[in-house]
Amino acid sequence: MSVKQSNYWLDTVSEPAKGVAQPLPDNVDVAVVGAGFCGLSAARTLAKHGVHVAVLEAETLGWGASCRNGGMVLTGMKLPVPTLISRYGRELVQRMYAASLESIDLVAQIVKEEAIACSFSRCGHLEVACKQAHFDAYAEAAACVKREFNHELGIIPKGELRREIGSDIYFGGLVDETSAGVNPAQYVAGLAKAAQRAGAALFDHTRVLGVKQQRSAGARCFRVETSRGSLEAKEVLLASGAYTTSATPALSKKVIPIGSYIIATGPLPADLARELSPRNRMIYDSKHFLFYYRLTPDNRMLFGGRAAFFPESESTVRESAELLRRGMIGVYPQLRDTKVDYVWGGTLDFAFDVMPHSGKLDDMHFALGFAGHGVAAATWMGAKLAGVICGHPDDSPFSKIPFANPPIGLRSGNTWALPLAGLYYRLLDFFT
Ligand SMILES: Cc1cc2nc3c(=O)[nH]c(=O)nc-3n(C[C@H](O)[C@H](O)[C@H](O)COP(=O)(O)OP(=O)(O)OC[C@H]3O[C@@H](n4cnc5c(N)ncnc54)[C@H](O)[C@@H]3O)c2cc1C
């Protein structure tokens, strides 16, 4: 099968946001490293507070995970609630869950305030159970979420699943109506333009090569070396996600970069699209090595998964096209003869404890670990960190939790053990 290695979402952006061509300023209040959801959301908020901010992006604006993802704007966190409560205690987890709901409201608010045309829609998400035991656990999970957070989830028994999904392979589902869908590349373009309108300077093709602390007029500041010269910044915010490099070594030791891959079919006839996803949900299954899928606004089936654990390369993307197509047909035999138009890959930012984190490393602000929840969470965290830089108290529930380094072999730039982690999760999916 030969499929174009290209990102479908990028083809839908008619007017991408562009960085400025002028030289870097000599100094700024805040230098943000990385122009994804996190960096752009931070820049927008900072600029709206009158802060002189420069965003430094190694590639094009939104080049990283932010333009490559499934566009699922999801509630909750990666780990199950009982695990979170036993780790962090009830009060902190209630604040974390509240933040996850608030983050979706924030995306909705930004899209509305900035009039971003990005097909944002509160369509809800559906988790589908791959085993009877997974479905049996949904009742307790929904009761727990209701009890702890007063948030409603809907349980869909197998006999009623056809009103949610045109597939018979699952054992039931769990619906959250609060989640949403978005075209991530259009959202990135709109967010970048909103930050620019507010006064932020966005520099693309500007790779940060190193950051050093120094003193200027008796005050602590940073000298940021880039591929386009250097600048001085009073504060630095690292928003480089899974693409963090050894230019910022303390952060790069923290990130586990995990590849994820997506295919998109050609546009489907409207009645077939309705059959596959009658409520247009954001859908993912209950495995660790999961599939996630949705319709695009022009009725393509966009189908993603961790076909390889390694960060994307030309060969992992090529291999993923066939693996994902087979996975898609396993779910939807109706798509057996449907042509796949696009395949692409991206890298997710995981922390060792599978949690989002923010705070300070080497005196620089950072946010990391959004995993498969970054559309909403990175937007929220960027705005939150901007508030902290502007002097608001740091009340993020994610800033005080322990943040361990992953073992060598799973870290950015040294990922030889990732296939072992992949094997571990495949075995876990087999046995649980
Ligand atoms: C295939 C895929 C599917 C996903 N699906 C979903 C989903 O459906 N829903 C969801 O919520 N999340 C999803 N995610 C995760 C989500 O996309 C990320 O969590 C989120 O985009 C992270 O945003 P960010 O701003 O932190 O980082 P990024 O968007 O990765 O941006 C970081 C930027 O920093 C730049 N950078 C790095 N180092 C430097 C440097 N030294 N100098 C200058 N610039 C630098 C990079 O070039 C990059 O553009 C998915 C991710 C992938 C890869």
Side-chain angles (χ1 to χ4, degrees):
M1 185 183 59
S2 133
V3 182
K4 183 161 75 160
Q5 285 207 19
S6 151
N7 177 343
Y8 158 74
W9 297 123
L10 292 178
D11 277 1
T12 67
V13 182
S14 48
E15 288 176 34
K18 290 204 176 65
V20 284
Q22 288 97 323
L24 296 183
D26 292 335
N27 46 59
V28 291
D29 294 328
V30 181
V32 175
V33 184
F37 298 132
C38 185
L40 293 172
S41 168
R44 171 182 173 270
T45 305
L46 285 165
K48 281 184 188 265
H49 280 81
V51 175
H52 184 199
V53 53
V55 178
L56 310 167
E57 166 56 53
E59 308 283 346
T60 49
L61 304 177
W63 175 90
S66 295
C67 276
R68 301 165 188 248
N69 58 73
M72 303 190 176
V73 193
L74 300 174
T75 55
M77 280 150 287
K78 204 78 189 145
L79 295 175
V81 171
T83 312
L84 291 170
I85 291 179
S86 70
R87 244 194 226 175
Y88 303 114
R90 177 161 280 118
E91 193 268 338
L92 195 60
V93 176
Q94 281 171 347
R95 286 172 49 213
M96 290 174 176
Y97 204 87
S100 99
L101 299 179
E102 200 182 302
S103 69
I104 296 172
D105 290 341
L106 178 64
V107 175
Q109 183 198 326
I110 292 174
V111 166
K112 190 163 176 230
E113 263 178 36
E114 307 290 354
I116 303 175
C118 58
S119 302
F120 178 87
S121 127
R122 289 267 191 177
C123 48
H125 83 245
L126 168 72
E127 179 180 326
V128 277
C130 296
K131 295 185 180 178
Q132 184 61 44
H134 298 180
F135 178 71
D136 294 343
Y138 285 167
E140 175 48 28
C144 179
V145 166
K146 174 74 185 157
R147 190 173 59 242
E148 302 296 342
F149 317 125
N150 198 23
H151 185 70
E152 294 282 350
L153 300 177
I155 294 176
I156 317 288
K158 185 172 175 66
E160 293 170 31
L161 206 52
R162 271 274 169 173
R163 66 178 152 88
E164 290 285 341
I165 179 171
S167 173
D168 296 321
I169 67 167
Y170 297 112
F171 291 80
L174 191 63
V175 165
D176 191 332
E177 301 282 355
T178 310
S179 293
V182 74
N183 176 324
Q186 290 177 348
Y187 174 48
V188 161
L191 196 54
K193 287 176 190 172
Q196 284 171 323
R197 276 196 303 275
L202 311 184
F203 294 91
D204 53 1
H205 304 293
T206 306
R207 179 171 292 280
V208 171
L209 305 171
V211 186
K212 281 203 185 75
Q213 248 190 77
Q214 59 181 37
R215 298 198 78 76
S216 175
R220 188 274 277 136
C221 67
F222 298 89
R223 168 69 39 197
V224 183
E225 295 292 340
T226 85
S227 53
R228 269 168 82 171
S230 80
L231 83 174
E232 189 182 286
K234 290 186 193 134
E235 301 288 347
V236 172
L237 165 51
L238 304 178
S240 42
Y243 295 88
T244 302
T245 68
S246 56
T248 50
L251 191 64
S252 100
K253 277 190 203 135
K254 299 279 185 192
V255 60
I256 307 179
I258 293 188
S260 190
Y261 300 85
I262 297 183
I263 53 173
T265 66
L268 305 173
D271 52 348
L272 176 59
R274 224 177 358 262
E275 180 196 328
L276 301 182
S277 183
R279 294 175 188 234
N280 209 3
R281 302 279 195 209
M282 303 291 114
I283 306 176
Y284 57 85
D285 72 35
S286 58
K287 297 193 301 296
H288 294 282
F289 226 88
L290 83 178
F291 288 134
Y292 51 92
Y293 43 99
R294 58 169 291 182
L295 293 171
T296 61
D298 63 348
N299 277 345
R300 295 165 191 272
M301 176 55 63
L302 187 143
F303 195 93
R306 232 146 267 154
F309 238 51
F310 272 128
E312 77 280 8
S313 67
E314 212 184 302
S315 66
T316 57
V317 172
R318 193 176 342 100
E319 289 156 20
S320 298
E322 183 51 27
L323 284 170
L324 289 173
R325 196 184 73 89
R326 268 188 254 144
M328 179 179 75
I329 292 168
V331 177
Y332 291 124
Q334 303 94 314
L335 296 179
R336 178 162 287 116
D337 299 321
T338 302
K339 189 170 168 296
V340 173
D341 280 355
Y342 294 87
V343 58
W344 70 97
T347 307
L348 289 140
D349 52 319
F350 273 80
F352 191 47
D353 58 4
V354 201
M355 290 296 292
H357 292 270
S358 64
K360 278 189 158 185
L361 277 171
D362 288 345
D363 240 13
M364 294 180 275
H365 301 267
F366 77 91
L368 192 82
F370 304 117
H373 284 64
V375 179
T379 302
W380 184 86
M381 204 75 106
K384 200 77 190 162
L385 283 177
V388 172
I389 292 171
C390 290
H392 301 169
D394 183 358
D395 57 1
S396 163
F398 304 105
S399 67
K400 306 280 184 312
I401 59 177
F403 191 9
N405 290 349
I408 292 168
L410 293 179
R411 295 178 192 175
S412 177
N414 187 356
T415 52
W416 59 264
L418 271 183
L420 296 178
L423 183 65
Y424 168 75
Y425 283 114
R426 277 192 199 282
L427 288 172
L428 214 56
D429 280 335
F430 187 75
F431 288 112
T432 60

